[in-house]
Amino acid sequence: NVSACLKHFPGIGSTTQDTHNGMASTDRTEEQFWAEELAVFQAGIDGGVDMVMVSHMAAPALTGNNDPSIFSKALVTDILRNQMGFQGVVITDAMEMSAITNYYAADEASIMAVLAGCDMLLMPEDYGKAYSGVLEAVRNGNIDEERINDSLRRIYRIKYAGMAER
């Protein structure tokens, strides 16, 4: 009853920086990503993996900017979900890492990750602030409640499958 999780999407092998200590980025081209890192993720997706963890690394060739990957709708929704066909749970890397906390408040980072398409927010620096921020964003219409419901359905699907196997 353990779910597999592929990480760190889109692939951190080409960076020499560490997101635990601050920003990290890669100069890989889109073609290199598709030929190398994304091919491995695609094999896992095709094999039925339940979860994919998105890294904080910047991948400008895929996202068009130097923001952490967890904030990129182009990466999480357009590439991972739509192009690669992943229908499972997308989880962020630990949001207490310096690549996030040095530049973003917990509520801001959480909202941005949800808007990008992440379903679960791993270890925000300030859970209460992150939770309140997402809740307020739903209440004021910045995040559609159906977006949250989509995430809950994906999470419950995994939990239910694990319970059904017992």
Side-chain angles (χ1 to χ4, degrees), residues 87-143:
Q87 298 305 312
V89 172
V90 176
I91 186 169
T92 67
D93 200 349
M95 295 182 69
E96 67 177 1
M97 293 164 58
S98 294
I100 302 304
T101 61
N102 285 355
Y103 307 95
Y104 306 93
D107 52 349
E108 174 190 26
S110 298
I111 292 165
M112 291 168 62
V114 169
L115 288 171
C118 296
D119 299 307
M120 294 178 74
L121 309 174
L122 179 63
M123 299 167 51
E125 180 182 38
D126 181 334
Y127 174 80
K129 189 173 183 178
Y131 174 82
S132 296
V134 171
L135 187 60
E136 180 58 29
V138 171
R139 286 182 178 148
N140 69 26
N142 288 339
I143 296 176

Side-chain angles (χ1 to χ4, degrees), residues 17-24 55-58 93 97-100:
Q17 302 100 345
D18 184 347
T19 56
H20 290 89
N21 302 322
M23 285 292 200
S55 79
H56 301 318
M57 175 195 75
D93 200 349
M97 293 164 58
S98 294
I100 302 304

